Amino acid sequence: GELPPGWQKKVARGEVLDADLYGQSSSLPDELLERLSTPPEGTETRLLDDRVVRIVNDTLLILDVLSLN
């Protein structure tokens, strides 16, 4: 699906990732995950358009955002 307009402003450290945006995100490829250090327990790293986002699983709190551009 297409990401909603203005989503970039909502994807920031300390914000809660919207459930719809989470649904449109994807896991990082296994080959990349293998190269990264193990994330802290209870977190996951997701790909959302041109951003890599690390979130808390239970609350979807955004811990880190990295731009791929």
Side-chain angles (χ1 to χ4, degrees):
E2 192 170 308
L3 294 172
W7 70 269
Q8 295 95 341
K9 294 176 185 176
K10 297 178 183 178
V11 178
R13 188 174 190 200
E15 296 291 326
V16 175
L17 185 65
D18 182 87
D20 289 335
L21 289 177
Y22 178 84
Q24 294 182 35
S25 69
S26 60
S27 296
L28 294 177
D30 288 338
E31 61 202 30
L32 182 56
L33 286 172
E34 290 171 1
R35 295 174 64 193
L36 298 173
S37 60
T38 304
E41 188 174 327
T43 68
E44 68 177 304
T45 305
R46 308 282 297 175
L47 181 62
L48 182 61
D49 198 31
D50 65 345
R51 310 278 170 91
V52 174
V53 182
R54 188 164 55 98
I55 59 171
V56 176
N57 291 336
D58 293 338
T59 62
L60 301 183
L61 176 69
I62 299 171
L63 301 173
D64 294 304
V65 180
L66 301 169
S67 178
L68 298 177
N69 288 336

